[in-house]
Amino acid sequence: MGIEEVKCPKCGKSAKVRSYSSINLTEKPKMKKDIIEGKINSAICLKCGSKINLRSHILLSYLEPPKWIWLVSKKHQHPNYQQEFLEKIAPQTTISTFPQQMVFVDFGEPCKGLELILSDSDPKCCEEWLELGKIQSGYDAVESYKSALRIDQRNVEAKKLLNDELDKLKTYT
Ligand SMILES: [Zn+2]
């Protein structure tokens, strides 16, 4: 961790932001709360109030058993991104044999889906499956929306999101 100086994309005033490229959650379990509440990788410009995000991705890691969770900016949320990322942006990580997961978040905003993932609890209701699906992409998101519909088959939002995701899969593959 360090302090990084960044320029506001709107007004150009510089701001100091705590910067992380990765966070080990086995060593720093208390960071979970900040991550879920959207308090990492983001600052508000003191001059114009714009949101400043430092990075487009941050690695969350666990030891024993090892697990990696990539937090990626929502602007990259499409079904092919994980593969692209592993091939082009972080190719050295493809050789790891432990589980890797990718979720898409709006840095600076609280995220309920992330809370489910970081507390390691399975979604229990239709709403929670929806929250999970919204931070996933591709077949993972499809499975979450289907699970939501298994609980409440009349849920309009789940139906819409499922169809949108299936359309995206057709477009990207
Ligand atoms: Zn500004």
Side-chain angles (χ1 to χ4, degrees), residues 25 36 57 67 75 87 135 150 152-153 157 167:
L25 287 177
I36 291 164
H57 59 271
K67 183 170 80 172
K75 66 181 177 205
E87 282 171 7
I135 62 170
R150 254 175 244 128
D152 177 5
Q153 51 184 308
E157 191 184 9
D167 283 345

Side-chain angles (χ1 to χ4, degrees), residues 7-15 44-52:
K7 281 212 162 90
C8 169
K10 281 244 174 80
C11 74
K13 184 175 168 59
S14 55
I44 300 291
C45 174
L46 292 174
K47 192 174 171 197
C48 76
S50 296
K51 193 161 82 178
I52 307 169

Side-chain angles (χ1 to χ4, degrees), residues 49-163:
S50 296
K51 193 161 82 178
I52 307 169
N53 292 338
L54 277 185
R55 296 169 198 279
S56 63
H57 59 271
I58 287 182
L59 174 63
L60 306 180
S61 63
Y62 291 87
L63 307 164
E64 296 171 49
K67 183 170 80 172
W68 281 5
I69 301 170
W70 292 98
L71 288 189
V72 176
S73 162
K74 271 214 189 269
K75 66 181 177 205
H76 296 301
Q77 190 171 22
H78 65 74
N80 287 357
Y81 189 74
Q82 181 154 355
Q83 198 189 344
E84 273 177 38
F85 180 85
L86 294 176
E87 282 171 7
K88 293 177 192 153
I89 300 166
Q92 73 279 11
T93 63
T94 49
I95 49 172
S96 71
T97 51
F98 49 85
Q100 293 194 46
Q101 196 177 359
M102 180 170 281
V103 292
F104 299 89
V105 298
D106 200 0
F107 287 112
E109 303 297 326
C111 181
K112 284 188 197 157
L114 200 51
E115 187 172 357
L116 289 164
I117 286 179
L118 298 186
S119 62
D120 237 338
S121 60
D122 291 326
K124 287 173 198 70
C125 58
C126 182
E127 258 329 292
E128 288 184 349
W129 279 113
L130 282 178
E131 294 298 340
L132 188 61
K134 285 176 193 171
I135 62 170
Q136 296 170 321
S137 192
Y139 294 106
D140 290 340
V142 165
E143 285 311 310
S144 293
Y145 297 138
K146 281 184 179 168
S147 298
L149 286 167
R150 254 175 244 128
I151 296 171
D152 177 5
Q153 51 184 308
R154 281 178 298 188
N155 189 293
V156 180
E157 191 184 9
K159 275 184 200 166
K160 185 187 177 299
L161 290 169
L162 176 61
N163 287 328

